[in-house]
């Protein structure tokens, strides 16, 4: 172990932590080597805790298993919106609210799984063990916040997310070469998780991030039990069984001491397992409650429309509310008792619709002879956003509209119709059998001898004779664990007598920093491709924002919509609006007139064609919205953020593997020169891409302000609404023209 690095680690620790580690050495709980490793672990943990607790948006490059292959994605954990995003090439493929996260299952090497409520698990692979550790730490924060919310307890009264409830050194049983062995681990119990730090392996096969494992106690699928052997207990998860043993030390050398510690560990872990199980049950109940609320809103909207029609015919809405049979969608909440009949007086529960006011109660004064129209249920811009947006200076009264035509198409009919809903052989292999089998399949197509592998790692490009991207990815996936590496380092026989799988693994053990070298090669190839993919997408978003910000015709069209909507709503007894959300654009084609084929969108086309025909071609100012946009600015920003991290990792790997000048071979020197030139080039390219990304976000922010939209609205939604509106507007224009030609 590097002495300078060790001294730096101890110098960054508090006196309390140094004393704790020294006492563990004194009591023979850990060796001196293990104590030095613990010191490094504490330094890394403290630094990560600060970085991960102060941030709110985290982006990680991961691989997702889909259709029998691993696909590269970005996993974004957003604590602002409390959502996890799955992003591919700037496109948000999936998004999951924090409340859907049930648990996180650790797996071998870089793999892990996210378990969700009510949907398929996500089997993922991190690009590095350090990233995997950070992702699982953040997911533990997510699950802890879920537990806090489900149990309806104030978070301030609970242990902090990084607080250790209980810790100690335990032996963990592991399968070793030809035998079973006990390996020492520092085990820390936190609320929601059990963290294991290995301190029992050799120094050469160990590093600060590759020997950590996390057992999540959430999800309600945990169990713990005492074993027959003295001082042992097991923790059973959905995928694994962990067998622990209380080690004999200077302090606990008697059987009763060991038994006491065993009981303490078992009771504490059981306690926190029960807390997590309670949270899981509460989650299921909350989902049922949410469903009931959605049903309540659906019923309320349906009855609201029926009451409006009944009001026009001077029919008592209260009578309708009592005599109309209950909707099949309505279901009572747990604990509520359904009434025996409609006439039985009962207290109103959360899912029951309150009786409507009698017909003579009017929210607005209307003339008895005034024709009532259907209401346009748009999304109104909040008052605090009106002043800085286009709606502050907008006067819908200046726009001329044919009121009689609107009333003709959208007035409430004289007859109320309540319709239903419309439809190898025997040779011994040192490696794990399953891993060895999969690796041997790969080796059948890998036409490289074990002795040639190191040489191939000094060739950057595939066309120059280097490894293919697929070969690099596969080798990264079969990187040796510290336990496996120790087996091969202890081997003293003739390599040629080993199975071909073991020969390759033995050769991989001899290559220093193999994992970093493979990461570097893959990243240095993917960086230019990724930047080339992102640049046109970012430029497209910039142009779209510029067009939207400068288009006067689009604003004029919005003013017409505001005028038409206010006219309908005024005659429907509703208040006028000063502005509406752009999400309302997609609702224009949903409000039908007297003729089923005539919608409010057709009415908009008619009004514009009649008074300002030049506005019909407003989409010529918005050419970037011809197709529905795929990539979002949120996704593109995450892609750029991950590229920055990957370039930083490449720079760090270069420093790590850079040979000393006196010992460098010509091939190594050539490799380092090429690598340095590429890094400098990519730094310049990424700097320009980052500037464009910032310009994109700044322009989009001004667009949101202009139209009174919330700042957290993603461009994929906003641009999608406008793109769909343009497409439907053109279709409506063609239909109106056909209508005129037919009846002219």
């Amino acid at each position: 172990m590097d002495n300078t690095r060790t001294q730096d680690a101890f110098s960054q620790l508090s006196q309390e932590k140094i004393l704790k580690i020294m006492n563990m050495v004194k009591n023979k709980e850990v060796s001196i080597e293990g104590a030095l490793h613990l010191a490094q672990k504490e330094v890394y943990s403290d630094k990560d805790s600060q970085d991960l607790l102060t941030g709110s948006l985290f982006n990680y490059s991961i691989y997702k298993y889909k259709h029998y292959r691993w696909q590269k994605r970005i996993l974004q954990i957003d604590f602002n919106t409390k959502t996890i995003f799955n992003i591919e090439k700037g496109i948000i493929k999936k998004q999951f609210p924090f409340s859907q996260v049930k648990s996180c299952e650790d797996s071998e090497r870089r793999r892990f799984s996210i378990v969700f409520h009510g949907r398929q698990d996500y089997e993922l692979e991190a690009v590095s063990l350090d990233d995997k550790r950070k992702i699982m730490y953040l997911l533990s924060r997510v699950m802890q916040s879920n537990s806090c919310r489900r149990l309806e307890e104030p978070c301030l009264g609970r242990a902090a997310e990084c607080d250790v409830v209980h810790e100690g050194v335990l032996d963990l049983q592991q399968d070793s070469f030809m035998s079973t062995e006990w390996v020492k681990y520092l085990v820390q119990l936190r609320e929601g998780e059990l963290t294991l730090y290995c301190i029992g392996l050799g120094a050469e096969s160990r590093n600060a991030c590759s020997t950590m494992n996390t057992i999540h106690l959430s999800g309600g699928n945990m169990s713990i039990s005492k074993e027959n052997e003295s001082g042992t207990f097991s923790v059973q998860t959905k995928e694994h069984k962990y067998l622990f043993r209380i080690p004999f030390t200077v302090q606990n050398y008697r059987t009763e001491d060991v038994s006491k510690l065993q009981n303490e560990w078992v009771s504490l872990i059981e306690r926190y397992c029960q807390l997590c199980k309670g949270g899981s049950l509460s989650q299921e109940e909350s989902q049922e409650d949410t469903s009931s609320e959605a049903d309540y809103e659906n019923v309320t909207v349906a009855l609201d429309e029926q009451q409006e029609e009944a009001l026009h015919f001077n029919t008592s809405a209260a009578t309708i509310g009592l005599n109309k049979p209950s909707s099949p969608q309505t279901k009572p909440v747990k604990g509520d008792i359904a009434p025996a009949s409609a006439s039985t007086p009962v207290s109103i529960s959360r899912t029951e619709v309150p009786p409507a006011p009698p017909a003579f109660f009017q929210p607005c004064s209307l003339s008895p002879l005034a024709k009532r129209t259907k209401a346009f249920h748009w999304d109104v811009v909040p008052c605090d956003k009106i002043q800085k947006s286009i709606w502050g200076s907008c006067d819908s009264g200046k726009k001329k509209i044919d009121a009689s035509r609107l009333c003709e198409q959208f007035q409430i009919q004289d007859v109320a119709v309540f319709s239903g809903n419309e439809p190898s052989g025997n040779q011994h292999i040192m490696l794990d059998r399953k891993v060895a089998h999969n690796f041997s399949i790969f080796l059948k197509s890998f036409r490289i001898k074990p002795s040639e592998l190191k040489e191939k790692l000094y060739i950057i490009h595939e066309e120059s004779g280097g490894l293919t991207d697929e070969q690099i990815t596969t080798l990264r996936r079969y990187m040796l664990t510290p336990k496996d590496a120790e087996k091969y380092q202890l081997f003293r026989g003739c390599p040629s007598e080993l199975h071909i799988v073991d020969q390759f693994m033995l050769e991989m053990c001899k290559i220093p920093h193999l994992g970093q070298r493979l990461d570097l090669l893959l990243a240095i190839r993917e960086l230019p491709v990724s930047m080339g993919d992102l640049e046109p997408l970012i430029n497209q978003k910039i142009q779209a924002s510029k067009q939207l910000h400068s288009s006067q015709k689009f604003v004029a069209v919005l003013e017409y919509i505001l005028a038409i909507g206010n006219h309908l709503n005024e005659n429907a007894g509703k208040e006028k609006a000063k502005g509406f959300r752009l999400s309302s654009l997609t609702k224009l084609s949903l409000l039908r007139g007297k003729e089923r084929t005539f919608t409010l969108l057709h009415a908009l086309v008619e009004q514009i064609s009649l008074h300002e025909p030049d506005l019909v071609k407003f989409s010529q100012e918005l050419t970037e919205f011809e197709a529905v946009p795929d990539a979002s600015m949120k996704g593109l920003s995450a892609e750029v953020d991950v590229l920055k991290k990957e370039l930083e990792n490449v720079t760090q790997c270069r420093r790590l593997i850079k040979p000393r000048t006196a010992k460098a071979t010509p091939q190594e020197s050539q490799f380092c020169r090429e690598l340095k030139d590429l890094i400098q080039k990519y730094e310049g390219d990424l700097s320009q891409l980052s500037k464009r990304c910032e310009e994109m976000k700044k322009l989009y922010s001004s667009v949101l302000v202009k139209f009174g939209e919330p700042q957290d609205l993603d461009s994929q939604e906003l641009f999608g609404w406008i793109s769909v509106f343009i497409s439907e507007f053109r279709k409506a224009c063609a239909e109106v023209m056909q209508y005129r030609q037919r009846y002219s």
Side-chain angles (χ1 to χ4, degrees), residues 290-351:
T290 303
S291 175
S292 299
E293 289 174 5
D295 292 340
Y296 168 79
E297 291 183 7
N298 291 337
V299 173
T300 302
V301 171
L303 291 184
D304 179 54
E305 293 177 355
Q306 294 167 3
Q307 287 164 5
E308 282 185 5
E309 297 190 8
L311 186 61
H312 175 64
F313 302 121
N314 295 326
T315 306
S316 170
T319 305
I320 291 178
L322 289 172
N323 296 337
K324 180 176 174 57
S326 60
S327 169
Q329 291 181 335
T330 308
K331 52 185 178 184
V333 178
K334 295 178 180 179
D336 290 342
I337 301 174
S341 63
S343 60
T344 306
V346 293
S347 59
I348 297 171
S349 68
R350 185 164 60 88
T351 56

Side-chain angles (χ1 to χ4, degrees), residues 505-693:
M505 289 298 176
L506 186 61
E507 191 64 31
M508 289 169 69
C509 281
K510 296 177 182 177
I511 302 174
H513 311 297
L514 175 61
Q516 290 87 343
R517 291 177 185 273
L518 293 172
D519 289 344
L520 186 149
L521 283 176
L522 195 60
I524 209 72
R525 294 181 185 184
E526 290 180 343
L527 274 168
V529 177
S530 299
M531 287 189 286
D533 291 340
L534 292 178
E535 186 176 9
L537 296 174
I538 292 174
N539 290 337
Q540 191 271 333
K541 299 303 176 190
I542 291 174
Q543 286 300 114
S545 296
K546 286 181 177 179
Q547 289 182 358
L548 196 56
H549 198 276
S550 60
S551 176
Q552 295 300 319
K553 289 185 178 180
F554 181 62
V555 173
V557 171
L558 296 182
E559 289 176 343
Y560 267 102
I561 297 173
L562 182 65
I564 292 171
N566 275 334
H567 179 80
L568 292 179
N569 288 344
E570 189 176 16
N571 286 303
K574 292 183 176 292
E575 294 183 1
K576 285 187 176 182
K578 293 183 178 180
F580 61 88
R581 295 279 309 277
L582 295 187
S583 58
S584 305
L585 295 175
T586 60
K587 299 181 179 181
L588 292 168
S589 60
L590 303 179
L591 184 60
R592 299 184 180 276
K594 179 173 61 178
E595 300 173 15
R596 298 293 294 170
T597 57
F598 193 89
T599 67
L600 191 57
L601 186 59
H602 294 92
L604 173 65
V605 172
E606 277 191 349
Q607 297 293 334
I608 290 177
S609 300
L610 182 63
H611 300 288
E612 291 186 64
D614 289 343
L615 292 182
V616 172
K617 298 181 179 180
F618 78 93
S619 61
Q620 293 178 353
E621 296 180 351
L622 302 174
T623 56
E624 294 294 337
F625 295 86
E626 294 293 334
V628 177
D630 289 330
S632 71
M633 292 190 187
K634 184 180 182 69
L636 292 172
S637 299
E639 294 277 3
V640 173
D641 182 51
V642 166
L643 286 181
K644 290 178 182 177
K645 290 181 180 179
E646 290 182 353
L647 188 56
E648 288 174 3
N649 291 335
V650 168
T651 305
Q652 291 175 2
C653 288
R654 174 180 170 269
R655 295 195 193 104
L656 184 66
I657 67 175
K658 184 178 180 181
R660 296 177 182 177
T661 308
K663 295 184 178 181
T665 64
Q667 189 181 29
E668 290 174 340
S669 300
Q670 176 68 20
F671 174 79
C672 289
R673 282 195 299 269
E674 288 183 20
L675 189 58
K676 182 181 178 181
D677 293 341
L678 285 174
I679 289 174
Q680 289 178 346
K681 180 181 183 304
Y682 295 160
E683 283 177 343
D685 294 343
L686 188 54
S687 176
Q688 292 299 318
L689 191 68
S690 298
K691 289 179 181 177
R692 296 290 285 172
C693 186

Side-chain angles (χ1 to χ4, degrees), residues 157-171:
R158 301 165 71 93
E161 290 168 330
C162 58
D163 283 353
V164 176
V165 178
H166 187 66
E167 71 173 358
V169 175
L170 296 176
D171 292 336

Side-chain angles (χ1 to χ4, degrees), residues 39 85 119 203-204 242 265 302 372 504 626 637 676 735:
F85 296 91
R119 65 171 298 113
E204 295 180 1
Y242 301 87
W265 275 106
R372 289 181 54 79
F504 260 99
E626 294 293 334
S637 299
K676 182 181 178 181
E735 291 171 350

Side-chain angles (χ1 to χ4, degrees), residues 24 62 114 131 138 198 220 290 325 364 420 428 454 464 539-540 582 588 661 713:
M24 293 173 73
I62 51 100
I114 305 177
D131 274 4
L138 291 170
C198 181
T290 303
C364 298
H428 178 75
K454 185 176 181 180
S464 303
N539 290 337
Q540 191 271 333
L582 295 187
L588 292 168
T661 308
L713 178 65

Side-chain angles (χ1 to χ4, degrees), residues 107-109 111 429-443 474-481 483-484 487-488 499 501-502 505 508:
S107 191
E108 73 278 358
R109 295 176 174 83
R111 297 184 187 180
I429 300 178
M430 297 169 63
L431 196 63
D432 175 80
R433 303 295 298 185
K434 182 180 178 182
V435 177
H437 173 72
N438 293 333
F439 191 60
S440 65
I441 295 173
F442 160 71
L443 290 179
T474 305
L475 287 172
R476 286 173 70 250
R477 192 156 292 129
Y478 290 103
M479 281 291 299
L480 287 168
T481 63
K483 185 177 66 174
D484 290 330
K487 298 177 190 176
Y488 289 100
H499 190 280
V501 169
D502 288 330
M505 289 298 176
M508 289 169 69

